[in-house]
Amino acid sequence: MKICRYNDNRLGLVKADQVFDVTSVLATLPAHRYPLPTVDPLIANLKTLMPAIEAAAQTVQPVPLSSVTLLSPIANPGKIVAAPVNYKAHLAESQADTQINFNTKVVEIQTIGLFLKATSSMIGAGESVKIRHPERRNDHEIELVVIIGKTADRVSEVDALDYVAGYCIGLDMTIRGPEERSMRKSLDSFTVFGPCFVTADELNDPSQLNMVLTVNDEPRQNANTRDLIIGVRQLISWASSFYTLHPGDVIMTGTPEGVAPVQPGDVIHARIDQIGEMHVHVSALAPKH
Ligand code: MN
């Protein structure tokens, strides 16, 4: 099942290039008062909701996917976990290029560990990446994103995929420079999730997925998740050995080689096998009045 969020927070079931409005199923989610839960309620209840989503889709006329504005398919991740330099060829390019590493030592992922991005940086494919510091180098990073489906505390690599609700494409937009990753990668709009998420029952092996990113049709990144240094199972196990992962938390698994700058006016195209593809526009941040 492919599920999207679009326009004014509509929930959609995607089939081929059509969207079925299944927003009505959200009425069955538990109502919340302060304090709000630390999970994403849709993801926490996804297994129960999937039959209702399928049934609701039978009752509505679809609209073309190209006619809607896509939001992040995950509305409320509790945390965005991210893996730095998790492909060997990207490690090599980062160590070799001072425009990427800014003369700071690029430490291997096994040593430096995972980092977090602010949830406020998240947008969907139909919203544009806003360049807030045009004088800096602003790079694209395509990544496979794992959406956690149930509470994961110290899970083994063997069991890790049992905790996955689904997958989507991620863009870990990044300012190059000397600051901490969490700051350089948490600007508003610097985490793009989309176009929809595909449920884990449809994508049961994340270890052999091709991914391609172009900018204005120019090839930039082209890789396969088989080349991850730390694979999806190991990332879930490792992350959950430090903190509990909750339903709706996401893990950005790292970017392959080919990272490069974007400018306002550019259009990023990103595609990952079995998930889909998305076009994301890059624009200048409007001046503050
Ligand atoms: Mn990244």
Side-chain angles (χ1 to χ4, degrees):
M1 187 174 277
K2 286 181 175 166
I3 297 170
C4 70
R5 210 161 56 88
Y6 66 100
N7 295 357
D8 54 346
N9 292 303
R10 311 303 295 176
L11 188 72
L13 177 64
V14 179
K15 292 189 178 187
D17 53 358
Q18 306 273 297
V19 184
F20 296 78
D21 187 338
V22 294
T23 310
S24 58
V25 304
L26 297 178
T28 64
L29 288 177
H32 294 291
R33 300 180 60 174
Y34 178 86
L36 298 175
T38 56
V39 303
D40 181 286
L42 172 67
I43 300 300
N45 294 281
L46 187 62
K47 277 225 165 80
T48 321
L49 283 179
M50 282 169 68
I53 289 172
E54 193 65 62
Q58 306 290 329
T59 68
V60 296
Q61 287 296 317
V63 297
L65 183 58
S66 59
S67 70
V68 306
T69 300
L70 288 169
L71 310 175
S72 167
I74 307 303
N76 296 108
K79 52 185 171 292
I80 300 172
V81 178
V85 285
N86 200 17
Y87 287 82
K88 281 201 188 87
H90 176 52
L91 174 64
E93 77 178 352
S94 301
Q95 288 172 331
D97 185 349
T98 58
Q99 291 304 303
I100 296 177
N101 65 42
F102 272 74
N103 297 310
T104 56
K105 183 172 160 50
V106 179
V107 183
E108 293 182 4
I109 183 169
Q110 296 92 334
T111 304
I112 200 166
L114 306 175
F115 66 98
L116 296 170
K117 296 185 67 156
T119 54
S120 54
S121 66
M122 186 182 72
I123 61 167
E127 304 168 274
S128 59
V129 170
K130 301 278 198 314
I131 301 300
R132 186 178 279 255
H133 288 291
E135 76 287 1
R136 305 278 299 265
R137 174 171 159 166
N138 295 268
D139 278 12
H140 55 74
E141 296 191 352
I142 186 175
E143 314 204 354
L144 173 68
V145 175
V146 180
I147 301 151
I148 297 297
K150 61 179 184 182
T151 303
D153 175 16
R154 293 162 286 178
V155 305
S156 70
E157 290 177 30
V158 172
D159 295 337
L161 295 188
D162 297 345
Y163 293 81
V164 176
Y167 301 88
C168 68
I169 305 173
L171 298 180
D172 174 19
M173 302 304 298
T174 303
I175 288 187
R176 299 297 168 201
E179 301 92 343
E180 284 282 338
R181 280 190 175 85
S182 62
M183 188 179 189
R184 293 186 286 107
K185 293 168 173 278
S186 287
L187 287 78
D188 297 353
S189 80
F190 268 38
T191 303
V192 188
F193 292 147
C196 48
F197 74 86
V198 56
T199 52
D201 58 315
E202 273 191 26
L203 198 171
N204 48 33
D205 181 11
S207 69
Q208 302 278 338
L209 302 175
N210 284 308
M211 57 173 74
V212 178
L213 182 143
T214 64
V215 176
N216 308 329
D217 295 325
E218 175 191 318
R220 295 277 182 91
Q221 296 184 277
N222 188 343
N224 188 289
T225 55
R226 77 170 74 89
D227 295 322
L228 280 165
I229 296 171
I230 297 189
V232 170
R233 288 174 180 273
Q234 203 180 346
L235 284 170
I236 294 168
S237 178
W238 193 23
S240 76
S241 76
F242 276 75
Y243 34 64
T244 300
L245 299 168
H246 299 283
D249 283 2
V250 295
I251 302 178
M252 305 189 76
T253 57
T255 202
E257 66 280 13
V259 301
V262 293
Q263 313 287 342
D266 286 347
V267 180
I268 301 170
H269 178 256
R271 186 182 68 74
I272 299 185
D273 282 353
Q274 296 184 52
I275 298 176
E277 60 182 328
M278 61 184 187
H279 286 95
V280 179
H281 290 256
V282 180
S283 61
L285 184 68
K288 193 168 188 293
H289 295 292

